[in-house]
Each structure stands twice: as C-alpha cells, then as structure tokens.
Amino acid sequence: VLLLLMASASTTWAGSTGDSKPSLPPAVTDWPAQETALIEAVEAYHTALTSGDLSSVEQYVRTDDQFVMLEGSHSNWGWADYRDNHLTPELGDLGQVRFRLNFFRVSIDGSLGYATFEYEILPKEGPEMDFGRGLATVVLVLTDDGWKIQHMHT
C-alpha cells in the first residue's frame, strides 16, 4: 500500500473517496511527559523506517507474535510475518521518504497506551510533494526498554 501511495503522488486519504480531507480534530502539540514519551516512540519508529536499517526499526516494536500490522486490507500477524513479507521489501523505497505525524489523541492506562494520528508521506529531499496520507491508530506497551509498538492500523 505504501508503494502505491508513493507512486500515485496525489493526495489520498485512507478511507476517503477523493481529495477531500476528512473532518479531524485539531492536532495537539502540548502533551504531558508520559504521553510525550509514547509519541516520541511512534515518531522514532517512523524515522527508523526511513533509515533502511531493520535493527533500528526493531528498537520500537514488539518483535514477537504479539505484533500486528493492519494496513488497508492487508494484515501481518507477528513481527516475523511483517518484517519478512511486508517491511523488508519496502525498506529501499522508505529510504526515499519522510513522515510528518500529527497526533490527535493519546491515552495511557498503566503499561498500555494508544495514539491516533494523521500521517503524511513526503519526499526526503527536493520539493515538498504529497506522496500520500492517512489516519492511523497505534497501540503500545510499556516495557523496561520504553514504549514498544504492539499493534498498528493504517
């Protein structure tokens, strides 16, 4: 799906039927410390995606069978499935882009947290073009090593 978004180079919203932007709450930029740590983990994951270094990405996710990725109509159940069948083939293309994230909701209850956000896919260099955008929800668990992504739905 990411490759299709990048190839289209047009404004497409996940779940929309055209170029109209869905009604979204305003992005929040001033978060308490605990929520900031969760957001920083999600942002670091997206930065790691664009590095081309799989070991960098793995710092921010659960690398076991509890990891789930739902992207459009595609699903990956477990880190090995996502890593081997989805992420690894896209790493080269991801090295050509950067992500801009705008967070709307962050909620934490003990060692479980989630965030909803808008993502934009932009070229890493050159003029700012819209390669795609959408909405996402990510669920994280707090470990001894910080927040780790367990589930993501884009």
Side-chain angles (χ1 to χ4, degrees), residues 22-135:
S23 175
L24 301 173
V28 178
T29 57
D30 186 27
W31 295 97
Q34 192 173 22
E35 285 81 354
T36 297
L38 185 145
I39 288 169
E40 288 172 350
V42 175
E43 290 173 334
Y45 166 80
H46 282 84
T47 299
L49 284 175
T50 67
S51 74
D53 179 17
L54 194 55
S55 63
S56 293
V57 176
E58 289 182 330
Q59 293 178 43
Y60 304 102
V61 299
R62 287 193 58 163
T63 57
D64 59 18
D65 288 339
Q66 294 301 309
F67 181 86
V68 175
M69 170 61 87
L70 303 175
E71 185 176 307
S73 62
H74 188 79
S75 60
N76 294 103
W77 304 93
W79 174 250
D81 178 33
Y82 177 65
R83 179 196 63 217
D84 298 343
N85 301 309
H86 191 131
L87 181 59
T88 299
E90 291 184 350
L91 276 179
D93 291 328
L94 286 167
Q96 305 302 311
V97 301
R98 63 187 169 90
F99 291 91
R100 182 180 314 159
L101 309 179
N102 296 304
F103 290 84
F104 304 117
R105 299 277 191 271
V106 175
S107 181
I108 296 174
D109 187 1
S111 62
L112 185 67
Y114 77 87
T116 56
F117 60 96
E118 169 192 32
Y119 62 89
E120 296 175 79
I121 305 168
L122 306 160
K124 195 173 270 188
E125 297 177 7
E128 190 160 301
M129 297 174 50
D130 184 350
F131 285 165
R133 59 179 64 212
L135 302 173

